[in-house]
Amino acid sequence: MKVAKFGGTSVASAEQIKKVAAIVADDSERKVIVVSAPGKRYSDDTKVTDLLIALGEACLEKGEVEAELQAVVSRYEDIADGLDLGKEIVATIEADLRDRLTFDRNRPESLMDLIKASGEDNNAKLIANYFQRIGLNATYLNPQDAGLLVSDEPGNAQVLPETFEHLGKLRDSDEIIVFPGFFGYSKEGTLVTFPRGGSDITGSIVAAGTKADLYENFTDVDSVFAANPNVVDNPVKIKKMTYREMRELSYAGFSVFHDEALIPAFRNRIPVCVKNTNNPASTGTMIMSEREYFLSPVIGIAADEGFATIYVRKYLMNREIGFGRKLLQILEDEGLSYEHMPSGIDDTSVIVRQHQLTTEIEERIIDRIQKELCVDDVYFEHDFSMVMIVGEGMHNTVGVSARATAALARASVNIEMINQGSSEVSLVLGVHAEDTDRAVRELYQEFFGGADESIE
């Protein structure tokens, strides 16, 4: 039994949905189909989710929403016309949207969740309707009816443990189940969304709950690549990789998966295959618990921008009990999470996501660190990138760090920070943002320059 998730580009138009139907009809093992909201049809297009955000904001700000509402409805109407579905399904979708807009505006976060989630929900209804019209034994299933329970955190839902037992019943269904991604329900019955990109999370949860033999994630690329194709020309394809490798690469900017998406599959040891809706015959990339890594100790190079560093220096810092705890408490008090914390004897740096900061927050942090920790120096630096070298085999391979630093030296890229976790699955190099692409290209050349079209 397989769970197949189709991303936004895979369900963006009538033509794409016909491809999805052919893929589902081609394999009777594909029993649960998780779908996203319609994505972009072309590069300058607007995703339905973005149209829905505009609709929700208009509802909250001015109450007059007709133009924004019709922009959403027209996208579904265009898809329905291309699938010869008639007007009834479009009328159902419009009525659903109008009903959602009557929700209590004094609960803005929940209202936005309700409106955003309609993208996936109504697309699932439309796709199930099309499947039925072409003769597939299919049905739409709402996550609430399936028992997908989540925490009541608007925009940041976390799945509750009992969900997996509830979803196990889907395995016995004789029908093809079309299941909307991106949201679940609290125990009180409130719709709550996962973080954006959360349809991947839904797919992973459903695969884990049904104990699927395989979770297929269909997107618009043949496989996961060893580097960003927008930065490196024709990067090699990855045939096999581990969950941990994919998690690290997702964190560092790979767009194939939301970086939390694989956790349910990982915990339940469900293999995952990334495939291309436009080329389903391609074998794709298989993600599993373990792989043979002796031929490819490094599996990928990734980079993510938008980091800032808090640099702190104090003589004999290493002898001061509780210094790190006090420092991190100051960040916690400001509601900040941190990404890395490389340290020396008398100094430490805390790497944070820059979007969390404001001038006021930075001033308060510096003031508190100076007064409460009595440091010799403290300041912020901005606009860093974290370049990550990822591979399970690095911990058994001598010289990876030396090769990486030599490569960046050749590219005249200054390394501001080096951090390697105890698992040694990744090596993180902090560089200035303007050096990011040059660093990625040089590192790719160092580790994959002589590789064939694919690696495993």
Side-chain angles (χ1 to χ4, degrees):
M1 182 244 180
K2 299 177 183 177
V3 171
K5 181 262 176 180
F6 291 87
T9 57
S10 298
V11 292
S13 65
E15 179 185 0
Q16 289 299 100
I17 291 172
K18 289 176 182 178
K19 294 177 184 177
V20 170
I23 290 168
V24 173
D26 185 58
D27 189 344
S28 61
E29 291 297 307
R30 293 181 176 124
K31 299 298 294 182
V32 182
I33 312 303
V34 178
V35 299
S36 296
K40 291 185 177 183
R41 296 161 291 186
Y42 43 86
S43 60
D44 296 330
D45 198 13
T46 303
K47 297 178 181 180
V48 164
T49 299
D50 290 326
L51 295 176
L52 289 166
I53 291 171
L55 173 62
E57 290 174 345
C59 178
L60 289 170
E61 292 170 7
K62 58 184 181 180
E64 175 55 48
V65 299
E66 199 60 31
E68 290 83 1
L69 175 64
Q70 291 306 319
V72 177
V73 172
S74 67
R75 280 293 300 274
Y76 287 108
E77 188 172 27
D78 182 65
I79 294 171
D81 288 347
L83 298 174
D84 296 323
L85 292 180
K87 303 297 183 184
E88 184 177 346
I89 185 64
V90 179
T92 298
I93 291 171
E94 182 171 353
D96 174 79
L97 284 167
R98 291 189 183 278
D99 181 62
R100 291 172 191 251
L101 290 166
T102 65
F103 189 83
D104 184 2
R105 279 193 249 173
N106 293 316
R107 298 170 58 193
E109 291 181 330
S110 292
L111 172 62
M112 287 300 295
D113 268 10
L114 192 65
I115 292 174
K116 286 188 294 183
S118 71
E120 282 75 9
D121 201 27
N122 284 320
N123 210 28
K125 295 172 188 174
L126 186 151
I127 290 169
N129 189 292
Y130 176 66
F131 282 5
Q132 292 162 3
R133 194 186 71 76
I134 63 173
L136 293 175
N137 182 23
T139 187
Y140 156 82
L141 181 62
N142 185 278
Q144 187 172 31
D145 296 328
L148 202 170
L149 297 178
V150 297
S151 59
D152 194 359
E153 302 172 75
N156 191 40
Q158 305 296 313
V159 66
L160 299 183
E162 54 265 46
T163 289
F164 298 102
E165 182 178 351
H166 298 163
L167 294 176
K169 300 170 185 175
L170 303 186
R171 192 178 176 96
D172 301 325
S173 175
D174 294 328
E175 297 176 298
I176 297 168
I177 295 169
V178 183
F179 199 103
F182 189 39
F183 68 97
Y185 286 83
S186 71
K187 289 184 176 181
E188 293 72 34
T190 301
L191 184 152
V192 193
T193 66
F194 295 112
R196 190 159 184 186
S199 289
D200 288 333
I201 299 175
T202 301
S204 187
I205 290 168
V206 173
T210 57
K211 294 182 171 57
D213 300 299
L214 180 66
Y215 169 37
E216 296 177 309
N217 192 293
F218 282 87
T219 180
D220 55 2
V221 294
D222 279 351
S223 63
V224 180
F225 295 99
N228 185 344
N230 295 319
V231 177
V232 174
D233 292 332
N234 300 313
V236 296
K237 299 173 183 177
I238 302 173
K239 287 185 178 180
K240 296 178 182 178
M241 62 194 309
T242 68
Y243 295 116
R244 291 202 302 173
E245 289 170 333
M246 188 70 240
R247 169 78 169 94
E248 296 279 354
L249 289 170
S250 296
Y251 164 81
F254 269 43
S255 59
V256 174
F257 281 107
H258 184 284
D259 67 357
E260 297 176 14
L262 291 184
I263 293 174
F266 167 73
R267 288 176 176 164
N268 290 272
R269 303 181 72 84
I270 308 294
V272 180
C273 189
V274 178
K275 294 179 70 70
N276 190 349
T277 304
N278 303 311
N279 184 22
S282 174
T283 55
T285 297
M286 187 66 74
I287 305 169
M288 56 197 72
S289 297
E290 298 178 359
R291 70 175 178 92
E292 295 291 340
Y293 52 73
F294 59 92
L295 291 177
S296 306
V298 173
I299 203 76
I301 311 291
D304 199 12
E305 299 181 354
F307 294 90
T309 297
I310 309 167
Y311 175 77
V312 182
R313 181 172 59 84
K314 184 177 183 181
Y315 185 58
L316 298 179
M317 178 192 295
N318 64 310
R319 297 189 186 180
E320 187 171 334
I321 296 172
F323 185 91
R325 175 184 56 78
K326 295 171 187 174
L327 173 60
L328 294 178
Q329 183 64 55
I330 292 171
L331 301 188
E332 182 181 342
D333 291 345
E334 292 289 346
L336 303 183
S337 61
Y338 76 97
E339 307 294 321
H340 306 280
M341 195 174 175
S343 298
I345 298 173
D346 295 325
D347 56 68
T348 188
S349 297
V350 185
I351 314 298
V352 299
R353 294 276 182 178
Q354 202 160 283
H355 67 78
Q356 302 179 94
L357 300 172
T358 64
T359 301
E360 293 77 15
I361 289 174
E362 291 184 21
E363 289 174 351
R364 285 198 301 269
I365 289 172
I366 288 175
D367 183 62
R368 285 191 62 187
I369 291 174
Q370 287 174 332
K371 289 179 179 178
E372 297 174 25
L373 302 182
C374 303
V375 300
D376 299 320
D377 198 10
V378 54
Y379 57 87
F380 277 84
E381 288 190 334
H382 301 87
D383 299 321
F384 288 101
S385 291
M386 297 297 122
V387 180
M388 186 176 286
I389 304 168
V390 175
E392 292 269 12
M394 293 199 305
H395 68 285
N396 286 331
T397 305
V398 175
V400 172
S401 297
R403 291 175 63 185
T405 54
L408 294 189
R410 287 196 303 272
S412 299
V413 173
N414 190 45
I415 301 172
E416 302 294 330
M417 183 274 290
I418 298 178
N419 192 31
Q420 184 164 29
S422 57
S423 65
E424 297 187 40
V425 176
S426 64
L427 174 65
V428 181
L429 304 166
V431 303
H432 287 288
E434 68 258 23
D435 296 329
T436 307
D437 289 353
R438 192 162 77 254
V440 169
R441 283 191 285 267
E442 194 64 38
L443 288 169
Y444 178 85
Q445 186 62 34
E446 174 65 33
F447 291 102
F448 300 99
D452 296 328
E453 290 186 0
S454 60
I455 56 173
E456 57 179 286

